[in-house]
């Protein structure tokens, strides 16, 4: 089955034939996590770096913000049978889509993400962040591969 993750959403899967994909990762970040032993995997699509920008929105949807979304995502992974110490985490997105990117949301998302992961003791196995192009990110649960694509090109993360 192919699960589509929208903006400010996350999805988990367990089936060997499952894929989890998110599109239009511009300044947003895609965070994939996969436990190779339990075969639990998931993908999170976060929009903004810090929940203090809108605490009410963060309470209703923690997946909108890096600082609330990543911990909630990892908690869901563990509840589904993954072990945090085995998670293979890969990141994509965080681009500056507009040439006059005054708010630098992509860069701020990357900084917040690294801080949250560092505090959680989780290492990033691979990443494709920054630049000026939006990306699609797909987690294949058959083996944990993450494929990133843009403009008809694909590469393994």
């Amino acid at each position: 089955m192919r699960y589509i993750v929208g903006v400010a959403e996350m999805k988990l899967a367990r089936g060997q034939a499952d894929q989890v994909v998110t599109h239009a990762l511009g300044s947003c970040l895609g965070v994939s996590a996969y436990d190779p032993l339990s075969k639990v995997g998931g993908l999170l699509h976060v929009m903004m770096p810090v929940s203090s920008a809108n605490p009410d929105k963060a309470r209703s949807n923690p997946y909108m913000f890096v600082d609330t979304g990543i911990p909630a995502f990892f908690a869901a992974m563990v509840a589904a049978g993954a072990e945090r110490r085995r998670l293979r985490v890969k990141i994509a997105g965080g681009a500056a889509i507009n040439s006059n990117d005054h708010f630098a949301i992509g860069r701020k998302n990357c900084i917040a993400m690294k801080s949250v992961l560092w505090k959680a003791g989780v290492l990033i196995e691979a990443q494709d962040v920054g630049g000026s192009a939006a990306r699609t990110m797909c987690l294949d649960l058959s083996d944990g591969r993450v494929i990133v694509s843009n403009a008809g090109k694909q590469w393994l993360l």
Side-chain angles (χ1 to χ4, degrees):
M1 180 152 212
R2 188 172 175 97
Y3 298 94
I4 306 296
V5 180
V7 177
E9 291 183 349
M10 79 85 185
K11 297 237 168 79
L12 302 180
R14 175 176 284 233
Q16 286 264 341
D18 290 345
Q19 291 184 330
V20 188
V21 64
T22 192
H23 303 281
L25 289 169
S27 60
C28 295
L29 287 176
V31 179
S32 73
Y34 176 74
D35 178 342
L37 191 60
S38 70
K39 303 290 187 193
V40 172
L43 195 59
L44 166 68
H45 186 140
V46 292
M47 292 175 55
M48 303 292 290
V50 291
S51 57
S52 60
N54 192 333
D56 291 336
K57 193 72 102 168
R59 275 189 290 283
S60 66
N61 182 3
Y63 303 117
M64 183 175 285
F65 301 95
V66 171
D67 66 339
T68 54
I70 292 175
F73 174 55
F74 287 161
M77 290 282 300
V78 169
E83 282 195 33
R84 185 182 299 253
R85 64 180 174 81
R86 291 192 307 245
L87 291 180
R88 294 171 50 199
V89 175
K90 298 180 181 181
I91 313 290
I97 301 299
N98 299 320
S99 59
N100 58 352
D101 185 18
H102 298 306
F103 296 108
I105 298 299
R107 185 171 51 81
K108 290 176 182 175
N109 279 340
C110 290
I111 291 167
M113 173 267 305
K114 288 178 181 177
S115 174
V116 169
L117 292 178
W118 180 78
K119 288 176 185 171
V122 175
L123 299 177
I124 301 168
E125 183 173 295
Q127 64 182 352
D128 182 12
V129 297
S132 60
R135 301 159 176 94
T136 292
M137 182 180 198
C138 180
L139 169 63
D140 186 332
L141 271 81
S142 66
D143 58 6
R145 284 179 301 150
V146 173
I147 298 164
V148 178
S149 61
N150 169 272
K153 297 179 183 176
Q154 293 185 341
W155 54 97
L156 201 56
L157 203 70

